[in-house]
Structures are given as C-alpha cells and as structure tokens.
Amino acid sequence: MGGYSIEHIRSLVEDARVHRDVYIDPEIFDLEMERIWGRAWIYVGHESQIPNPGDYFITRVGKEPVVMTRGKDGQVHVIYNRCAHKGAKVVERTCGNAQGFRCPYHGWTYKLDGSLQGVPARSGYADTGFDMKDPRFHMQKLAQVDSYRGFVFACQSKDTPDLKTFLGDAAATLDNMADRSPEGELEVAGAPLQYVHDCNWKMWVENLNDAMHPMVAHSSVGDAARRYAAQLPEGTPYPREAEIIFPFGSSYKFFDEMGVTTLPYGHGYMGGEMSIHTEYSEIPGYFEAMVASYGEERAKQILSQNRHNTIFYPSFTAKDAVQAVRVVRPIAVDKTIIETWHFRLKGAPEDMLKRTILYSRLINSNGSMVGPDDWDCYARMQEALVSQSYEWVDMRRGLGKEERLDGKERSFGTSDLSFRNQYRAWLDYMTKDVEDREAA
Ligand SMILES: [Fe+2]
C-alpha cells in the first residue's frame, strides 16, 4: 500500500481536530479495513440467528466475506467465505441450514467448521503435496471468535486481547439488554432493517454520541411532536409514537445532564441513569414478569440502567432500553450500510418487541422521521469536505473539561469527548501495525 507514512497518519489527528482526509481518502479507508477492522473485535451476529446445528448466516467483517455457523456439536464458528481452491465465494444464501458447504465451481466440500470434507476425483492430487487435513486446504477460520451474552464477535488478529478485555465496561450494556428479559436471554426477531448511507462509516459512528445535533437537525420533528402534544386534551396520555419522538426535541440542558462516558478502545455511551428513553410508559405485564424472575429490588435495578447509545468501536452500537442494535458495514470510503437488528426479550410480553420495532420505523429506517435528517447531514459533509478551503474538522467542545475515573472519562453530554476518544483509538490502531513492524 502506497503513500501514508506513520508520521503522516499521526499528523491527521490532533487533540481538538482531525484532518478531512480521514473521511474522504480511499487509501485511508483501505488502511482502516486492514488496521482497524482487521484488528478489532467486530460484531458478526447473534447466536439466536443460528440456534440449531447446521444453521448459518453470511455477512462481512470489514471487507472480508464470512460465514457464521453452528457445528454439529453446537459450537459457533466464524470462517472466511472463500473456497480454499480457486477463491470463489462458497456460501451465497444469507442464512439457512446445511450439512456442510459445497463450492459451486469445482465442487470442493467443507464441514460446518470450514474443514475440507472432499474434493472430486481426488486421485488426481496423488503425490502433489495435497493433504485433506492440511488447514491450507480448508475454509479459513478467523483468528479469534467469542461471544458475550449471545452476541458473537470475531477478530482477525490473534494479538488483540480477548473479547472481555476489549468490551470492558461496554459489556454492561449487553448484560442489561439481556437482563431485561425475564429469562435473561435475547432472541433476534426477523431480518434487519438495512439503510445505505452515502457517507464514511466514522461520520455515522460519531453521530451516535453527538448530542449537539438533535435540536438542530431534528428540529422539525421535535416541533411537530410538540405541536401535536399541545393540542391533545388535558390529561390525555401521549400515543406511543409521540412518546418515542418527543425526546428528540429535548434541550441542550437535557442532553448535557445525560452526560457522556468514554472507555478504552474507542467505546463510549451517553446517559446511564437517564436517557431519552427513561420516560416511556410501562407495558402491562412486563414489570410483573421481571419481578417474578428477579425479585422487585433486582428488577428495579435492571430497569434503572438507561444508556442511550453505547458505541462498541468500530462496528456496533446498542441501546439497552430499546433492545435494538445497529451494525456498521463499511462498503467504500463514502458508502456504509447500517443494519438495525431487533430483539425479543424472552419471557416478556410481545408488546415490548412491537415497541422496539416501532422505534426503528420512526427513528432508524430510511422512511422514518429522524434517520433521513442525519443521512442528509452526513451526505453534506461527504460532499463539502472535498473543498480545498479548509483542511480540518473541529472537535474541541468541552476540551479539558472531562473527569477521569477508573479508566473512564466523563463529561457533559454535549461535549465532543466521545469523538476525541474515538480518534485516540483510531490513531492507536492505525499506527500500531506500523510500530510493531518497525520494532520487529
Ligand atoms: Fe440524529
């Protein structure tokens, strides 16, 4: 790969600003796929998508096509979706159940863990060094695969610390999502909502903890919700739609009080005790089911955690109180697919899932009232950052005002702290490979 020296990459990130090239240069994008998406733990899917032996699901880890499978023994595998022979993509269907896989080109067959099962007319390979047991002739396994509360992550580097270390305190968001089920388990409900964004993946990830934009970018929907609420007769409960949309019109003060917390590896979240989801009305039967499972005190404790968006940098974001996750699939420097997956809380009233899906339709879908506002802002950045007029993107709001505690940093909600934390991680990933190589 060409022109970026380690000094050049370092010069792109300062304490309070980043160079525009990080969003628009295809060469940076390729380096990110190798050094960030090739080193970090990347979210693949949820175990409930492949409940039975032989179940599989295809997706991507960065640029790499992969298959998540469940073996005959129940073990979850993540393997590269590439035939060991001529390199054709082996599995084409998004998901299904199979005894194994067969490449459609020359008919090499593989077991669910990627190991080679057979090749046609094998005698022709006699005395060539070909060995069925040699992993070179298997569909390759990703270097590390692990899951946490059913969320399956894979990592292409064997040098990256284990998943638990990588997740750190961000794991508490996944714990809380699962604990909100009276049975302590989540189950994917249906296919994801997919939304193509004409922007760099980092713009989307940054926006998840950007509390300075809702009152501007989403002002029309906030205004509409307020006008609607104002004309309701005194004492009328808000319909569920209004309850979901209304907080998007909250004040700067509200978001400041929500707070932002950052963690190692670029992770972070807004809220914690309160968020835009705190005031949702109760769904009949849910709290009772939680109390029956956990006892009243523990049930209240679980429901009191309320993180707004948790970023698992770079690939995944989760809302504990809404049971939805959004998955980042970068396609090109200016194209990113965002998938929203919805979860059923096992043992909870079905109405909980209905609210989760309603939330996505209203906020996250391409036909929603909120998501397209964001899409438009990202597309404008992508279009205008090519301008030669100025090279930098600013992120100094709240600089130096953060408090440090136990490896975390905290600040007021509209601080740019989360962006600065993401670029610290970005720089670590983007320069570490080179440093390691130079040290070797
Ligand atoms: Fe937004």
Side-chain angles (χ1 to χ4, degrees), residues 244-282:
I244 289 171
I245 289 174
F246 200 61
F248 281 83
S250 299
S251 64
Y252 293 106
K253 184 168 172 286
F254 176 90
F255 284 101
D256 273 341
E257 284 169 2
M258 213 198 287
V260 60
T261 304
T262 59
L263 306 167
Y265 295 101
H267 310 325
Y269 60 87
M270 292 199 64
E273 280 138 39
M274 55 85 89
S275 81
I276 62 168
H277 312 300
T278 312
E279 298 299 321
Y280 288 176
S281 47
E282 277 183 31

Side-chain angles (χ1 to χ4, degrees), residues 207 213 218 374:
N207 188 63
H213 85 279
H218 305 308
D374 297 314

Side-chain angles (χ1 to χ4, degrees), residues 134-437:
D134 186 339
R136 280 187 299 159
F137 302 110
H138 298 181
M139 287 170 79
Q140 302 294 309
K141 294 174 193 294
L142 275 78
Q144 300 190 67
V145 178
D146 200 358
S147 73
Y148 188 82
R149 299 298 296 257
F151 294 89
V152 179
F153 292 78
C155 175
Q156 297 190 72
S157 166
K158 59 181 182 354
D159 301 326
T160 303
D162 63 276
L163 179 62
K164 263 197 158 165
T165 306
F166 174 82
L167 294 175
D169 181 63
T173 301
L174 304 180
D175 284 328
N176 189 255
M177 271 181 84
D179 289 346
R180 281 171 181 259
S181 150
E183 296 174 17
E185 275 187 39
L186 296 163
E187 187 176 53
V188 162
L193 193 138
Q194 291 187 313
Y195 190 174
V196 179
H197 282 67
D198 292 331
C199 72
N200 186 265
W201 64 273
K202 297 189 294 302
M203 291 179 190
W204 188 89
V205 176
E206 286 167 45
N207 188 63
L208 274 269
N209 280 349
D210 181 327
M212 280 303 287
H213 85 279
M215 52 296 282
V216 182
H218 305 308
S219 62
S220 60
V221 65
D223 288 348
R226 259 191 299 276
R227 274 199 305 278
Y228 175 78
Q231 53 84 49
L232 289 173
E234 187 83 16
T236 317
Y238 289 144
R240 192 176 278 177
E241 287 81 355
E243 196 175 82
I244 289 171
I245 289 174
F246 200 61
F248 281 83
S250 299
S251 64
Y252 293 106
K253 184 168 172 286
F254 176 90
F255 284 101
D256 273 341
E257 284 169 2
M258 213 198 287
V260 60
T261 304
T262 59
L263 306 167
Y265 295 101
H267 310 325
Y269 60 87
M270 292 199 64
E273 280 138 39
M274 55 85 89
S275 81
I276 62 168
H277 312 300
T278 312
E279 298 299 321
Y280 288 176
S281 47
E282 277 183 31
I283 283 176
Y286 175 57
F287 184 65
E288 292 78 355
M290 289 291 283
V291 171
S293 289
Y294 296 104
E296 189 166 337
E297 197 183 336
R298 175 70 185 135
K300 281 185 172 160
Q301 189 189 24
I302 291 167
L303 298 176
S304 71
Q305 178 172 316
N306 224 304
R307 293 180 176 181
H308 168 44
N309 284 312
T310 301
I311 294 172
F312 300 77
Y313 192 79
S315 72
F316 174 68
T317 72
K319 277 184 180 294
D320 49 20
V322 182
Q323 296 90 50
V325 304
R326 281 181 281 175
V327 182
V328 185
R329 309 283 188 208
I331 304 298
V333 69
D334 57 357
K335 201 167 285 293
T336 307
I337 294 176
I338 302 300
E339 297 173 352
T340 308
W341 292 81
H342 309 97
F343 290 87
R344 178 183 285 111
L345 296 169
K346 283 192 180 175
E350 198 67 2
D351 208 20
M352 292 294 286
L353 175 61
K354 284 188 181 156
R355 181 164 69 190
T356 297
I357 291 170
L358 179 67
Y359 183 90
S360 258
R361 289 193 183 130
L362 290 170
I363 309 300
N364 294 333
S365 92
N366 52 0
S368 74
M369 301 179 76
V370 174
D373 293 338
D374 297 314
W375 184 97
D376 181 58
C377 296
Y378 311 142
R380 283 166 185 262
M381 284 171 74
Q382 206 69 45
E383 185 181 348
L385 278 174
V386 302
S387 165
Q388 302 287 333
S389 60
Y390 187 60
E391 291 177 286
W392 296 94
V393 173
D394 198 84
M395 47 182 202
R396 75 186 60 237
R397 193 177 162 82
L399 183 66
K401 302 289 193 310
E402 53 274 2
E403 303 161 37
R404 288 183 180 77
L405 193 72
D406 305 332
K408 295 185 189 184
E409 293 191 332
R410 275 192 71 79
S411 197
F412 54 96
T414 67
S415 164
D416 291 343
L417 172 64
S418 174
F419 315 150
R420 293 192 291 271
N421 185 56
Q422 287 169 45
Y423 280 100
R424 273 199 293 263
W426 187 91
L427 204 53
D428 277 351
Y429 282 120
M430 290 290 278
T431 57
K432 192 173 177 357
D433 267 1
V434 183
E435 282 167 351
D436 288 354
R437 221 176 288 143

Side-chain angles (χ1 to χ4, degrees), residues 70-86:
R70 192 177 291 274
K72 294 251 156 66
D73 58 356
Q75 209 193 322
V76 173
H77 307 281
V78 181
I79 53 178
Y80 292 99
N81 193 359
R82 178 213 192 271
C83 182
H85 178 213
K86 293 280 174 109

